[in-house]
Amino acid sequence: MNTMHLFRKLATILALVLGIADQSAAQEAPANEWRIEDATATPVPSVQQYADGRLIMRSPRRTNNYLELRGTLIVEGDGSFGPSSLTDAALLSGATAVPAAAELVAIGVHGGAESKCVYLRPPIGANETRIKLRAGGEMAIVREAGRADTLFLKMRAPTLNLCMVFEVLEIPSSPLLWSFANRATPLTIGLPAAVEQTTMPATDNDTAAPRPASVPLSPATPQARQRAISSPLLWGGLALTAVALLGAFSLQRMRRQLADGSSSVAASTPHIPRVDSTHQPTSFARVEAEAGPGQQQFHDALAELRLARFAEAGDLFGAALAEGLTPTFEAGAWSLRGEAMLGSHDLVGAMTCFLRSLSCPGATTESALPAATQLAAIYRELGLKQDAAQMENVKTAINPFADEINPQRQAHIASLASELKRQKRARMVGIFMPWRKPR
C-alpha cells in the first residue's frame, strides 16, 4: 500500500515537472529566424497605390526624392514574422552607419525582379490594413495593445517580396543599410527609375494548395453482386429507368414539334459565357507608347465613356478595334468596351468583352484588374461559384490589395443579373409550356 502511494506521488511530481518544463520552453522559444535577400535601393519619382478601387500616383510631398527599397523576406519555421514596429524601419548610410534623413511613407509587395511594387492604401501612419495572401498567408499592419500610437508589421508567409518607400531629403551616401526589425541589411544601389504607365502584378511566391486526390471505389464482392441481382429494388429501378427513357423520348418529340413556336423566345436569351484557361493570365505586358491606327477612335471612345454616353463609347471602341490597335491597347479597348456595355445594360455583352480582354496576348494589369473584379461580381450574382472563384484568383494574383467594386456598381450588376435569370426562366417556360405567356 505504501509502495502504491509513493508511486502515485512520484507520477504526480513528474507530471508537474514536465508541464513546467514545457511551459518554460514555450515561453523561451525563440522567434522564427528570418533574413532579407537581394535587397536593393532605387530612386523613383513616384509610386503607385490602390485606393478606392483605382490606381493613384503618389509623389513626394516635401522633397523631390523617393527611395524604394525592395528585397525578399524569407522566414523560417511556420512563416510567422513580427510584430515589428514600423518606427524602427530606417536608412543607415556612410561608413559609420548613421541614420539618414528619411521618412517611411509606404509599404507593399512586388511580383519579381522586373515588376513594380504595389503599395497598401495611404496614409501608412493612419490606417490598419490586413490582406490575405495565397496559400493561406496573411500580411497585416496593426496596432498593438497599449501602443496605439505605433503601427506594427505582422505576416505569415514563408516568402514575401517586400517593398518600402522612404521620402529622403537627398540620396544617402554609400554604403547604405536597410534597418528593419533591429537588423541592418546591406543595400545595392540601383539606377534611377523612369516614370512608367503600368504596374506589373504584385503576388507572393506561395503556390495554391493541391487538391486532394480522389479515392477509388472498391469493387463489389461476388456475393454482394449476387444479392443485388436478386433484389426486387433492382428490377423496380430498371422499370423506372424504362419509363424515364420513354418519357424522355416523348419529350424530345414534343420539343421538336414546338421548336418553331419557341425559337423566338430562345433567340431572345443570350448564352452566358463561361471562364476557361485562356481567361486566367499569369503574366502581363507593359502598356505600349502607341495605340496604332485606331488611336483616334480609342481616345474619342474614352471621352464618351467619361461623359457616361455608353452606347456611343461602345461603338467607338468597336471602331477602334476594327481599325487596328497595338496588343496592349487592344486588351484595354475590350476591357473598356465591357464597361460601356455594362452601362448600356448589356450584361452578357459586357462579360464577353471582359473575357476577351483577359484572353488577349497583350493583357496588362490596368485592363485585367477591372475585368476580373467585375466578372467575379457578375458570376457571384448569377450563382456560378466556380467561375467567380477563378476570377477572384486572377484579381488576387494581380493585386491582393485591390478593393471591391463600389456599392452602386454592385447594385447595378445585381439588377442586370436578376433580369437575365428572369429571361432564362421565361425561355424554359416557352420551350416546355408554349401555351403559357411569360411574365
Side-chain angles (χ1 to χ4, degrees), residues 250-279:
S250 302
L251 181 61
Q252 186 67 21
R253 288 191 62 186
M254 183 179 69
R255 287 184 65 182
R256 289 197 194 99
Q257 293 171 356
L258 298 174
D260 292 338
S262 62
S263 59
S264 60
V265 179
S268 64
T269 306
H271 173 70
I272 297 176
R274 304 295 294 273
V275 177
D276 59 37
S277 59
T278 63
H279 306 130

Side-chain angles (χ1 to χ4, degrees), residues 17-36:
V17 169
L18 290 176
I20 294 172
D22 289 343
Q23 185 176 2
S24 300
Q27 292 176 349
E28 296 175 2
N32 288 327
E33 183 59 31
W34 62 274
R35 65 187 184 277
I36 296 179

Side-chain angles (χ1 to χ4, degrees), residues 297 300-320 336-346 353 412:
Q297 292 93 329
D300 291 344
L302 276 179
E304 296 291 345
L305 188 61
R306 294 190 185 100
L307 294 173
R309 298 171 60 175
F310 301 115
E312 293 82 354
D315 292 341
L316 283 168
F317 280 124
L336 292 168
R337 195 182 190 190
E339 298 270 0
M341 289 196 170
L342 203 58
S344 298
H345 306 279
D346 184 355
C353 289
H412 180 61

Side-chain angles (χ1 to χ4, degrees), residues 50 58 137 143 187 196 271 277-278 284 300 357 359 400 430 433:
Y50 280 95
R58 183 175 180 182
R143 301 185 191 278
L187 288 162
E196 298 182 9
H271 173 70
S277 59
T278 63
F284 301 90
D300 291 344
S357 175
S359 64
M433 293 182 287

Side-chain angles (χ1 to χ4, degrees), residues 32-81:
N32 288 327
E33 183 59 31
W34 62 274
R35 65 187 184 277
I36 296 179
E37 295 184 350
D38 303 322
T40 61
T42 306
V44 293
S46 59
V47 295
Q48 293 176 322
Q49 294 175 302
Y50 280 95
D52 300 325
R54 62 190 183 91
L55 194 66
I56 65 171
M57 189 73 69
R58 183 175 180 182
S59 301
R61 293 174 296 173
R62 295 184 297 272
T63 71
N64 294 322
N65 301 301
Y66 268 167
L67 196 62
E68 183 176 76
L69 278 56
R70 49 198 289 169
T72 303
L73 178 60
I74 301 174
V75 185
E76 306 295 341
D78 63 354
S80 297
F81 175 85

Side-chain angles (χ1 to χ4, degrees), residues 57-416:
M57 189 73 69
R58 183 175 180 182
S59 301
R61 293 174 296 173
R62 295 184 297 272
T63 71
N64 294 322
N65 301 301
Y66 268 167
L67 196 62
E68 183 176 76
L69 278 56
R70 49 198 289 169
T72 303
L73 178 60
I74 301 174
V75 185
E76 306 295 341
D78 63 354
S80 297
F81 175 85
S84 175
S85 172
L86 293 183
T87 59
D88 296 335
L91 289 172
L92 307 178
S93 68
T96 56
V98 298
E103 176 190 0
L104 179 64
V105 296
I107 184 170
V109 298
H110 68 90
E114 298 300 324
S115 64
K116 286 180 66 65
C117 295
V118 178
Y119 292 95
L120 279 73
R121 304 177 187 89
I124 194 173
N127 302 322
E128 294 188 1
T129 304
R130 293 178 182 273
I131 61 165
K132 295 293 183 180
L133 305 173
R134 298 185 67 186
E138 184 181 41
M139 179 180 179
I141 293 180
V142 298
R143 301 185 191 278
E144 292 289 300
R147 299 190 64 182
D149 59 335
T150 305
L151 286 172
F152 294 82
L153 173 66
K154 295 175 66 176
M155 59 169 278
R156 188 179 71 257
T159 304
L160 185 74
N161 293 324
L162 185 65
C163 301
M164 288 188 183
V165 165
F166 289 85
E167 185 171 354
V168 295
L169 294 177
E170 58 183 12
I171 304 301
S173 59
S174 298
L176 193 61
L177 301 176
W178 185 355
S179 178
F180 178 53
N182 299 318
R183 184 176 300 180
T185 302
L187 288 162
T188 301
I189 306 298
L191 296 175
V195 179
E196 298 182 9
Q197 298 179 338
T198 185
T199 303
M200 294 299 287
T203 59
D204 57 278
N205 296 333
D206 298 334
T207 57
R211 296 180 180 178
S214 58
V215 180
L217 299 176
S218 300
T221 62
Q223 295 84 357
R225 284 197 295 269
Q226 187 173 1
R227 285 196 299 270
I229 292 172
S230 61
S231 172
L233 292 176
L234 173 63
W235 297 107
L238 289 175
L240 289 175
T241 302
V243 172
L245 289 173
L246 181 60
F249 177 74
S250 302
L251 181 61
Q252 186 67 21
R253 288 191 62 186
M254 183 179 69
R255 287 184 65 182
R256 289 197 194 99
Q257 293 171 356
L258 298 174
D260 292 338
S262 62
S263 59
S264 60
V265 179
S268 64
T269 306
H271 173 70
I272 297 176
R274 304 295 294 273
V275 177
D276 59 37
S277 59
T278 63
H279 306 130
Q280 302 174 62
T282 56
S283 61
F284 301 90
R286 297 177 182 272
V287 176
E288 295 160 293
E290 297 294 332
Q295 179 169 332
Q296 186 58 51
Q297 292 93 329
F298 183 89
H299 289 299
D300 291 344
L302 276 179
E304 296 291 345
L305 188 61
R306 294 190 185 100
L307 294 173
R309 298 171 60 175
F310 301 115
E312 293 82 354
D315 292 341
L316 283 168
F317 280 124
L321 289 164
E323 189 71 21
L325 293 170
T326 54
T328 56
F329 275 85
E330 180 184 354
W334 281 114
S335 183
L336 292 168
R337 195 182 190 190
E339 298 270 0
M341 289 196 170
L342 203 58
S344 298
H345 306 279
D346 184 355
L347 186 65
V348 173
M351 296 170 70
T352 303
C353 289
F354 288 144
L355 290 172
R356 182 69 180 272
S357 175
L358 290 170
S359 64
C360 283
T364 65
T365 54
E366 287 82 0
S367 63
L369 182 60
T373 302
Q374 294 181 91
L375 280 171
I378 293 170
Y379 282 122
R380 279 197 300 268
E381 292 294 339
L382 293 175
L384 302 174
K385 297 181 179 180
Q386 182 177 357
D387 298 77
Q390 290 171 326
M391 289 296 95
E392 284 288 350
N393 290 338
V394 174
K395 171 190 166 186
T396 302
I398 296 172
N399 177 29
F401 310 129
D403 295 330
E404 296 293 337
I405 60 177
N406 60 56
Q408 293 80 7
R409 178 58 61 89
Q410 181 67 50
H412 180 61
I413 288 174
S415 174
L416 296 179

